[in-house]
Amino acid sequence: MATAVVTFGLASCDIDNVENIGEMSTSEFPKTDADIEAVLAGVYQNLNTTHANPQCSFLYAACLASDDQLGGGGTNDKLMQAEDLLCNYNSDMTNQFYTDRYSGIARANTLIKVLTEASMAEDIKKIGLGETKFLRAFYYYELASMYGNVPLVTDPEQENSSQGDVQVLWAQILQDLRDACENLPATRRSDGRIDKYTAEAMLGRAWLFYTGFYGNGTSTADLVSTSYNPLASVALNDGTTLTKQDVIAYIDDCVNNSGYELVPDFRNLWAYTNNKTIGDYALYKDAGLKWVEDDNAINPESMFAIKFNKQASWSTTIGYANGIALHFGVRGGQDVGNTFPFGQGWGAGPVAPNLVNDWKAAEPNDMRLQATIADVNDPLEMPAYTRGGWADFVQESDYYSKKWSPICAKNDGTVKGSDGNEPPAYVFCFETVMYPGKWETSGENNFQLSNIHDLVLIRFADVLLMQSELKESPDGINKVRARAGLPAINGYSLQALQNERRWELACEGLRWNDIRRWHIAATQLAKQENQNIYYCGSPDTNKPHNGGYAARYNATAGFQKMPETQVSLGTVKQNDGWTDASSEYNGW
């Protein structure tokens, strides 16, 4: 936790001289505002914890399981392919994420209890409770989305941690977010901390998923039904009721009063437009682009992001580096000049050809397509790309997502050669060329640990689209379309909303829960089958496995297998669709 104080900038201190907070009892700690800040940093730090093993996380699985991205990786990366195919690879495939998130929830529960009982200034207490309840709700949102009915624990002294009623679980998530909206002051923050408007946005996201996905009931048959009947109200655990109109009011407040806004040029949201790279990027070098975060500027569209820093190392925590960027980078094994400006990684989540085909057919003039997806056959993107790189690439398509990609720059002399070697021509890392002075530069060129750009989880564009969906109005859709240079739509339709969310938010991890809550998942997932891909550098098709995408979705409702460790403890029952050999992925 002491490290987290430095990580999130909540306080300034020498971490070598800080008492180990984990060894202090709640009878003596926390007592002061500074103590509260330190413990709260520990709750936030769980956001980074999962990046030590990002392949186990909900965000990672949501990208791969959706109809817009495939599994990818190499022949030994069976976990990536299994998450795409809704199959299992080993008994505890995602157990690390499960235990990590419950660790974060335990910290949140302790702080909520302390704050509730503490004698301190009411405004300090309310802000602390607002931030902590938001984080507890977010951690439960990811667990409930990934596994379904997980145990609800809200008391740090609670002994029974078995599954209960999934409706009670979601009622607590919504109640925590509602409380966060009420407790946090009407002030926009730009320091990485949760504010009222971020809580309102997350409430909208959780509301839309729960009320849509569970609109028909709670059984697997209900969840995979193709009938879309969203709920209009939800009974919360404190005896109050949250209605659709309540959520609309929160989202309207966020849109009208938050101060968050769309970045004028969609392309400037993404790190490939940074001032160390853009002048050498053939596709956009003359487009007058400037990354919104150049020179440590604040991104006005970013509402909730995981922050990273230069403290990542194998001896402390690799979670302080952006592990998603590493995993979703162009699969390595070739000269970096071949993939410039995109750095390299493990090749997870290659973009599914069906997304590109659908997008071109629906919006042929949408500039977001080229801004979001790199076509390796385009000489302005990757002029010398070598098909396959490492020769074992599975489900390689012609397309990579640019949004979360690691970015490289031509070495301007900042990075020297090591052990007498020539200086590298290209620099993988953000830290040496993109954030000079933010922390002391290590001078390393480590493509695994040196990606430290933010991972944005909620953008203001998403809020505008939620507003359109909730109010059945084209207004939010048209604001997003105008930013992309597209004509307005004349009237609202669910299909128009679904399309706009797909294009605007492509490859940001949101599509998976969208297609589940709209009850269109099985149909959309099946479109990935027989798409053209490459296997180990040779042309192939994306063959159905274990009955195919639709069959696996209908068997599981999209929930992952409960880790066997948790089942053996008796706290959870195994989810439907995971109890026999038909769910096991044995390789491509």
Side-chain angles (χ1 to χ4, degrees), residues 376-412:
V376 302
N377 298 310
D378 183 345
L380 296 179
E381 286 283 14
M382 299 183 194
Y385 180 80
T386 301
R387 172 89 41 213
W390 286 323
D392 66 339
F393 200 169
V394 176
Q395 291 179 293
E396 179 182 11
S397 69
D398 288 327
Y399 309 110
Y400 281 97
S401 173
K402 299 180 180 183
K403 288 180 173 178
W404 294 348
S405 176
I407 305 299
C408 58
K410 291 185 177 180
N411 190 359
D412 61 0

Side-chain angles (χ1 to χ4, degrees), residues 568-588:
S568 67
L569 291 173
T571 59
V572 295
K573 296 179 180 179
Q574 189 52 264
N575 284 327
D576 289 348
W578 298 102
T579 56
D580 58 45
S582 66
S583 66
E584 297 298 316
Y585 176 62
N586 297 310
W588 197 258

Side-chain angles (χ1 to χ4, degrees), residues 76-95:
N76 290 325
D77 294 319
K78 294 181 181 178
L79 183 148
M80 296 180 189
Q81 296 133 38
E83 289 182 333
D84 167 52
L85 299 166
L86 294 179
C87 295
N88 179 62
Y89 176 64
N90 79 41
S91 61
D92 268 345
M93 185 169 81
T94 60
N95 187 57

Side-chain angles (χ1 to χ4, degrees), residues 535-588:
Y535 174 73
C536 296
S538 298
D540 196 0
T541 57
N542 197 40
K543 300 181 181 67
H545 284 68
N546 300 62
Y549 287 102
R552 288 300 302 150
Y553 182 80
N554 287 331
T556 64
F559 293 127
Q560 282 285 342
K561 181 179 182 179
M562 286 285 190
E564 289 291 351
T565 293
Q566 307 306 323
V567 175
S568 67
L569 291 173
T571 59
V572 295
K573 296 179 180 179
Q574 189 52 264
N575 284 327
D576 289 348
W578 298 102
T579 56
D580 58 45
S582 66
S583 66
E584 297 298 316
Y585 176 62
N586 297 310
W588 197 258

